[in-house]
């Protein structure tokens, strides 16, 4: 296992797998750049804190969050972000291009004031994962912007822009969907509901 406590301003190229152990925080400082190599894995068992930074690469295997990650004002492109059942991920004021988020059972994902694009499914949640999405744009998500099966969702003030296959697909989900803006949505259903539980849909503008 390898641990880098701090990534400074100069670019850092990751050519092997990286493990951030439990109890350790990996900090990516403002203006810093982390480039993850092809097929590489970053496994965050501890904490990840990135602010006003860049995380790039090409076809990395996984940026896996098993601990806690807070990402603010950061651009991410190049591979999937997998949130494990013990993981918590917060994305704020960031752009994720070709960096889909996949959350498994009991994982917690919060996304605020961000933009997700360029993936098959930009955000997915399964088996009691918790998805809290506010004031975020989804575009060019080729299959769907959000896919949630058996999840708890709080989706508020999101915009479905052009290029999504579907907007939001919820199955056996609970929670709230409020004020979806989909007038520029060009794909299939902006909101597809199947066998939902205690789910409330309020407001919104649909094309």
């Amino acid at each position: 296992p390898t641990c880098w406590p701090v990534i400074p301003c100069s670019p850092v190229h990751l050519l092997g797998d990286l493990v951030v152990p439990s109890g350790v925080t990996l900090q990516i400082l403002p203006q810093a750049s982390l480039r993850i190599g092809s097929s590489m894995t970053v496994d965050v068992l501890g904490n990840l804190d990135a602010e006003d930074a860049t995380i790039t690469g090409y076809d990395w295997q996984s940026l896996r969050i098993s601990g806690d990650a807070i990402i603010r004002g950061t651009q991410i492109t190049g591979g999937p972000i997998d949130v494990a059942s013990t993981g918590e991920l917060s994305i704020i004021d960031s752009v994720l291009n070709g960096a889909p988020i996949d959350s498994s059972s009991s994982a917690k994902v919060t996304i605020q004031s961000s933009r997700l694009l360029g993936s098959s499914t930009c955000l997915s949640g399964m088996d009691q994962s918790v998805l809290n999405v506010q004031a975020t744009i989804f575009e060019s998500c080729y299959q769907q912007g959000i896919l949630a099966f058996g999840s708890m969702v709080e989706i508020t003030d999101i915009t479905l822009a052009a290029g999504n296959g579907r907007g939001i697909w919820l199955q056996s989900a609970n929670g709230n969907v409020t004020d979806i803006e989909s007038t520029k949505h060009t794909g299939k259903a902006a909101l597809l509901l199947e066998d939902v539980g205690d789910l409330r849909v309020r407001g919104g503008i649909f094309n």
Side-chain angles (χ1 to χ4, degrees):
T2 305
C3 173
W4 295 342
V6 176
I7 294 178
C9 292
S10 58
V12 172
H13 296 263
L14 182 63
L15 301 178
D17 294 341
L18 171 67
V19 175
V20 181
S22 178
V24 172
T25 297
L26 170 63
Q27 290 182 291
I28 306 178
L29 300 180
Q31 311 307 315
S33 176
L34 171 64
R35 183 171 180 84
I36 303 173
S38 176
S39 301
M40 298 297 100
T41 296
V42 177
D43 196 355
V44 180
L45 304 176
N47 302 298
L48 171 63
D49 188 348
E51 183 173 2
D52 298 330
T54 303
I55 301 173
T56 63
Y58 177 75
D59 195 27
W60 68 63
Q61 182 172 328
S62 177
L63 172 54
R64 181 176 173 83
I65 309 299
S66 300
D68 295 341
I70 300 177
I71 297 171
R72 298 174 294 259
T74 294
Q75 295 191 23
I76 304 177
T77 182
I81 302 172
D82 300 311
V83 188
S85 59
T86 56
E88 294 191 24
L89 170 65
S90 296
I91 303 280
I92 304 166
D93 294 325
S94 297
V95 176
L96 278 63
N97 188 351
I101 300 172
D102 185 9
S103 57
S104 58
S105 174
S106 301
K108 296 180 181 180
V109 176
T110 299
I111 304 174
Q112 298 176 354
S113 304
S114 296
R115 182 173 169 231
L116 278 64
L117 70 157
S119 298
S120 177
T121 298
C122 287
L123 172 63
S124 61
M126 301 290 173
D127 301 329
Q128 299 182 355
S129 60
V130 178
L131 306 180
N132 188 326
V133 187
Q134 301 175 16
T136 291
I137 298 170
F138 292 82
E139 68 178 280
S140 297
C141 304
Y142 310 124
Q143 291 190 0
Q144 51 263 322
I146 300 175
L147 173 68
F149 286 1
S151 300
M152 175 64 71
V153 300
E154 292 291 336
I155 300 172
T156 306
D157 292 327
I158 72 162
T159 297
L160 300 175
N164 299 313
R166 293 187 183 89
I168 304 170
W169 184 3
L170 305 179
Q171 185 179 96
S172 302
N174 299 285
N176 296 281
V177 177
T178 307
D179 293 337
I180 298 173
E181 162 60 67
S182 66
T183 54
K184 295 183 180 179
H185 176 63
T186 55
K188 298 179 181 178
L191 179 61
L192 176 60
L193 306 178
E194 294 185 342
D195 300 323
V196 293
D198 184 13
L199 181 74
R200 293 168 293 279
V201 178
R202 301 183 179 91
I205 302 174
F206 296 89
N207 62 357

